Amino acid sequence: MNTIKQIELEQLRMDLPDFEPGDTVRVHVRIHEGEKERTQVFQGIVIARKRGTVNASFTVRKVSYGIGVERIFPTHSPSIHKIEIVEKGRVRQSKIFYIRNLKEKAVRMKLRRK
Amino acid sequence: MCKGILGKKLGMTSLFANDGSYIPVTVIEAGPCIVTQIKTLANDGYNALQLGFSEKKKHRVNKPLAGHFEKAGEACFAHLKEFKVNNPEEFTAGQAVTLDIFSVGDRIDVSGNSKGRGFSGVTKRHGFKLGNKTHGSHSYREPGSIGQCAWPGKVFKGRKLPGRYGNTKNTIRNLQVVDIRPEQNVILVKGAVPGPVNGRLEIKIRGI
């Protein structure tokens, strides 16, 4: 097998759930503070998934105290402790960047729950 | 110990470190190289090993080279290169030099022929800034003024102008060995190295 493909395949995380744009997820991230390690949770709507091998990533958006916050996670990073799917959502686009311009209630309407 | 080895660039990818950081790596097939000749202080005035890499069929090698390879063994090689060595008496002709000479964390220098870009303009070759695209501009990728007037009446030597770019030997120094995979003869090096995929590389260990 192609050596580079093999190196990339070894690093892929197969333990993560299959989530899609529109889903609400809780991402548990390991954070190193000096010697200590703790887990931080980031909950929001997946607005994009960039497919690939080691370079795959996904973007999670939440609204915190009225301010929109987006975070891009490398999908296969060892820093990600686990991903929980809170709610499935159904959207038509694979990149739902338009929800940035919607009001909170409109977002809820758009993500017609499955 | 031999201070270097020949290799082939397989391409680039990335690794995740344990702390989650993302490391860009070049995958290099390093060796195994066969010692084709041993140069000693008494005979040649310096101590070195001549290494052969990338096996070649005997009928594709010219007769003088085939005779040279015969002294070391059966195999013929496409690439030959000398590397310095302190104790040439430790080695015998025909012996294999593998990537055992490297260990994770080593600093290395990697040389190779850069990609040839042909006859290139100053923007690509020297990084000149671009001119205006619009407003009636006729100097989008032009070099601009290249000198003065009646005095000195010539263009000074060394002026950066268009010309052949690339396909020169370049060395990237102080690269770090991130991982070694002896079963595939592959080392992973942090950062980029010169040349195209499948290009030949010389890998030297620093500071020994």
Side-chain angles (χ1 to χ4, degrees), chain B residues 48-208:
Chain B
L49 296 181
Q50 189 187 63
L51 299 184
F53 178 63
S54 161
E55 218 164 289
K56 208 174 176 183
K57 281 178 184 162
K58 197 171 182 182
H59 69 271
R60 296 199 185 278
V61 181
N62 66 25
K63 279 185 179 172
L65 261 180
H68 176 68
F69 288 129
E70 229 166 58
K71 289 175 197 162
E74 294 285 295
C76 300
F77 300 96
H79 304 299
L80 289 176
K81 179 73 192 169
E82 282 182 18
F83 289 95
K84 279 184 184 172
V85 68
N86 290 335
N87 308 310
E89 56 277 3
E90 285 176 11
F91 296 89
T92 53
Q95 185 187 343
V97 177
T98 62
L99 42 63
D100 296 339
I101 58 172
F102 300 110
S103 51
V104 173
D106 273 1
R107 295 289 177 165
I108 56 173
D109 295 341
V110 181
S111 315
N113 264 20
S114 61
K115 282 182 183 173
R117 286 147 177 102
F119 194 99
S120 306
V122 287
T123 311
K124 188 191 273 282
R125 192 177 186 216
H126 299 296
F128 281 19
K129 282 180 183 162
L130 297 176
N132 278 355
K133 262 184 180 173
T134 55
H135 297 295
S137 165
H138 289 290
S139 56
Y140 181 45
R141 297 176 72 95
E142 300 294 309
S145 168
I146 59 170
Q148 298 79 28
C149 195
W151 190 91
K154 60 175 181 179
V155 176
F156 285 119
K157 289 204 168 167
R159 169 114 297 260
K160 290 174 179 171
L161 285 171
R164 287 276 187 95
Y165 178 40
N167 194 19
T168 53
K169 186 180 171 182
N170 290 35
T171 305
I172 308 290
R173 300 204 278 179
N174 207 17
L175 293 170
Q176 193 185 354
V177 179
V178 178
D179 197 6
I180 299 171
R181 295 164 186 243
E183 68 277 6
Q184 294 155 315
N185 287 315
V186 154
I187 61 171
L188 306 187
V189 173
K190 185 176 176 183
V193 304
V197 167
N198 291 332
R200 192 194 72 160
L201 300 170
E202 293 161 25
I203 308 152
K204 286 181 187 167
I205 303 175
R206 283 173 78 84
I208 302 183

Side-chain angles (χ1 to χ4, degrees), chain A residues 2-5 14 35-36 62 64 77-78 99-100:
Chain A
N2 183 319
T3 316
I4 291 181
K5 268 189 186 157
M14 302 302 182
E35 293 287 292
K36 280 187 201 165
K62 72 170 176 183
S64 173
S77 167
I99 68 159
R100 288 167 180 164

Side-chain angles (χ1 to χ4, degrees), chain A residues 25-84:
Chain A
V25 292
R26 281 167 73 82
V27 186
H28 298 248
V29 194
R30 290 198 189 94
I31 290 178
H32 294 272
E33 284 173 338
E35 293 287 292
K36 280 187 201 165
E37 189 191 277
R38 67 186 179 85
T39 309
Q40 199 180 53
V41 181
F42 192 91
Q43 177 169 349
I45 300 163
V46 179
I47 61 168
R49 277 201 78 170
K50 186 174 157 285
R51 302 284 173 174
T53 52
V54 276
N55 58 348
S57 66
F58 61 96
T59 308
V60 181
R61 177 184 171 88
K62 72 170 176 183
V63 178
S64 173
Y65 298 103
I67 309 280
V69 180
E70 285 179 17
R71 206 166 153 184
I72 302 168
F73 297 97
T75 311
H76 300 287
S77 167
S79 306
I80 293 180
H81 175 55
K82 64 174 174 179
I83 299 172
E84 292 171 61

